[in-house]
Amino acid sequence: MSGGRTTAGQTDQGRFALIARWWRRALAYDGDERDTLRIIGKSTLAATLAWLVSYVALDARSPAFAPFSAVLIMQVTVYRSVVQSLRYVGAVVAGVAVQAALGFLAGPDLLTFVLVAVIALAIGRWQVLGAQGPQVATAAFFAFATYTSASADSQRLRALGEIVLLVLIGCAIGIAVNVLVAPPLRYRGAEYGIRGLAHTLKDLLADMYPVLAEGVPDQDTTGGWRSRAARTGGMIGQAWWGLETSKESLHLNPRRLLRRYRGHPGFQGYESVLGALERTLYQVAALTRGLDRSREEEGEALGPFLRRYAAFLEAAGEVAAVLTTLDETTLLPQAKRLERLTDDAEARRDDVVQETRERSLSLADPSMPYGILVTEATRLLEEFRYTSRVLLEVAQDAERSSGERKQRGRSAGGG
C-alpha cells in the first residue's frame, strides 16, 4: 500500500512540476504559453462585454449568441479574426435566411425542418465559408426553434433578425478587443521555426560526426540516423505554419505602425532561409542513406574517408548552431559569422574531395558510396552558402533602412 501511495505522490509531484514550468515559461518570455493566457483573457473580456450589451442593454431573448460569437472569432491574428468573422456572419445569415424563407412559406412542421436541414447542410459545404460552414446548419436549427416558439409572424421576424444582430454585435466586440487589447504581432514566430529546425539539424550532425570519426558505423546506428532524418517532415510543416502566421499577424494590426516595429527586416529573407533549411534536412536524409550504404564497402580507404567526412559534418554542425540562435536584433554579426563558418565547411568538403584523389577513389562508380556522399556534401554546402548570403542581404538592408530613418530623424530635429 505504501508503495502505491509513493507512486501516486510522485505522479502528483511530476504533474505539479509540469504546471509550474508551464507558468514559469508563460511569465518569463513571449511564447505559446503566454499566447494561451492572452487568448483566454481576451476571450473572457470579449464574451463579458458581449453579454452585457445583449442581456443588459438590449434585453435580448437569446443573449448567448453575442458572447458565443465574440469567443468564436477570437483568433491568433487580427486578420484571421476579421476573415473568420465575415465567414461566420455569412454562415449565420444564410442559415437564418433558409429558415425564414421555408418557415414563412411552409410553416413550422417536420417537413419544413427536414428541408431546412438539407439545404443548410448543403450550403455549409460551400468552400468559401471554410471552417464556418457547419454554422449554417447550427444557425438554421436555432432559428427554427426560435421561429416555432413565437406566436405571430411579426414576432418570428423580429426574433430571427435578433439572432443576426446579436451575431454582428458579438463579432464586432470580438474584433475590437483583438485589435485594441494587445493585438498579436508575431515577428519572432519565423525565427522560432528556423531555430527549431536548426536545432534538429545540429543535434543530428552532432551525433553523426563522432561516430564516423571512429570508423564505419553499424547498421543500427545508420538506421537510427535515417529514421530521425525522416521524422523531420512534421517539424518542417510547423515551421512553415509559424512563418505564415507571422506574416498574417501584420495585416490590419495597428501595432505595426509603432516606431519600434518599423525597422523589422520583413519575412522574405526568413522565408528563403526556411526553404533552404527544409532542403538541407532533405539533403541530410539522403546523406544518411549514403552512409548506410557505405557499410557495404570494404577496404582500408573507407576509414580515412569517413574521418574526413566527419570533419566536414562537424563544420556543418557549427553552421547549424548559429541558426539555432537566430535573432533579428543581432542579425548582421550572425550573418557574417555564418559566412565564415560556411567557408570553413567548404574547406572541410575540399579535404574530402582531396582524400578521394589521393587514394584514387572513384566518384563516378555508382556501386561505390564515395561519389554519392561527396555529392550530398556539396549540395548541403550550397544550401548553407545560400542561407548565409540571404541573411547577410537581409541584415544589410535592415541596417541601411535603420540608418536612413536615423538620418531623417536628425534632419527633422535640426530643422
Side-chain angles (χ1 to χ4, degrees):
M1 294 295 291
S2 61
R5 287 195 298 270
T6 301
T7 302
Q10 291 175 345
T11 301
D12 291 339
Q13 290 179 357
R15 186 179 297 112
F16 289 138
L18 288 174
I19 295 174
R21 285 197 295 270
W22 191 94
W23 278 101
R24 281 197 296 270
R25 290 194 298 268
L27 298 174
Y29 58 86
D30 196 3
D32 291 338
E33 293 80 7
R34 187 174 293 182
D35 282 344
T36 300
L37 294 179
R38 188 182 293 117
I39 286 291
I40 291 174
K42 292 167 65 171
S43 297
T44 302
L45 175 61
T48 303
L49 294 175
W51 176 263
L52 288 175
V53 172
S54 61
Y55 181 75
V56 178
L58 298 181
D59 192 24
R61 295 178 58 185
S62 303
F65 273 105
F68 173 77
S69 302
V71 172
L72 183 66
I73 60 94
M74 187 66 67
Q75 302 287 328
V76 294
T77 64
V78 174
Y79 173 79
R80 196 171 298 178
S81 288
V82 173
V83 171
Q84 292 302 319
S85 67
L86 292 175
R87 290 175 173 172
Y88 176 58
V89 169
V92 170
V93 170
V96 171
V98 169
Q99 161 55 35
L102 293 178
F104 283 108
L105 288 175
D109 54 26
L110 181 59
L111 179 60
T112 303
F113 181 84
V114 173
L115 292 175
V116 168
V118 170
I119 296 175
L121 290 170
I123 295 175
R125 307 287 294 181
W126 192 18
Q127 292 183 351
V128 173
L129 297 176
Q132 302 303 328
Q135 300 299 333
V136 178
T138 302
F141 297 155
F142 274 107
F144 189 89
T146 302
Y147 182 87
T148 56
S149 63
S151 57
D153 288 345
S154 59
Q155 292 179 346
R156 291 168 177 168
L157 190 61
R158 184 165 55 252
L160 296 179
E162 182 182 90
I163 293 176
V164 177
L165 176 62
L166 292 175
V167 167
L168 289 172
I169 290 173
C171 290
I173 291 176
I175 292 174
V177 169
N178 208 14
V179 170
L180 299 176
V181 181
L185 193 58
R186 295 169 171 262
Y187 275 134
R188 310 307 289 272
E191 290 180 2
Y192 297 152
I194 291 174
R195 290 178 186 177
L197 290 182
H199 266 294
T200 300
L201 176 62
K202 179 181 77 70
D203 292 344
L204 181 56
L205 294 176
D207 288 344
M208 291 170 64
Y209 75 78
V211 177
L212 296 180
E214 295 295 326
V216 182
D218 58 35
Q219 184 176 6
D220 290 340
T221 301
T222 56
W225 294 342
R226 292 184 62 176
S227 297
R228 288 172 59 184
R231 288 196 298 266
T232 58
M235 293 189 62
I236 292 172
Q238 292 176 2
W240 280 112
W241 182 86
L243 175 62
E244 291 303 318
T245 303
S246 298
K247 293 164 62 177
E248 188 181 273
S249 70
L250 297 182
H251 303 319
L252 308 177
N253 196 320
R255 288 176 66 190
R256 66 188 178 88
L257 302 177
L258 298 177
R259 182 184 299 272
R260 61 175 173 154
Y261 293 115
R262 293 178 185 173
H264 187 270
F267 295 107
Q268 184 175 0
Y270 287 162
E271 188 172 356
S272 299
V273 171
L274 188 53
L277 264 178
E278 179 181 4
R279 294 189 297 272
T280 297
L281 286 168
Y282 291 147
Q283 296 300 333
V284 171
L287 189 150
T288 58
R289 291 193 293 271
L291 288 172
D292 196 21
R293 183 179 175 181
S294 70
R295 292 181 300 99
E296 303 172 1
E297 172 65 16
E298 299 291 342
E300 297 180 356
L302 183 58
F305 173 85
L306 291 180
R307 283 194 290 273
R308 294 282 192 179
Y309 211 84
F312 164 73
L313 293 182
E314 183 178 8
E318 293 294 327
V319 176
V322 175
L323 296 175
T324 63
T325 59
L326 191 66
D327 190 335
E328 67 176 29
T329 60
T330 57
L331 194 57
L332 186 57
Q334 283 184 318
K336 292 180 178 179
R337 182 163 180 255
L338 194 64
E339 193 173 38
R340 291 194 300 271
L341 292 174
T342 303
D343 290 338
D344 293 340
E346 185 173 10
R348 301 289 80 76
R349 191 281 314 269
D350 292 343
D351 290 342
V352 174
V353 175
Q354 183 63 29
E355 181 72 20
T356 62
R357 291 172 180 169
E358 292 177 355
R359 295 182 176 273
S360 300
L361 303 177
S362 175
L363 299 180
D365 188 350
S367 65
M368 298 291 185
Y370 308 112
I372 296 174
L373 292 175
V374 170
T375 299
E376 299 303 339
T378 301
R379 290 173 178 171
L380 189 63
L381 187 63
E382 288 173 353
E383 296 299 341
F384 283 149
R385 181 68 68 189
Y386 173 76
T387 300
S388 66
R389 288 173 180 170
V390 167
L391 286 179
L392 189 60
E393 290 175 1
V394 170
Q396 290 174 341
D397 288 343
E399 197 83 0
R400 283 193 295 268
S401 298
S402 178
E404 292 173 358
R405 285 194 304 274
K406 291 179 181 179
Q407 182 63 35
R408 286 195 297 268
R410 286 194 293 267
S411 300

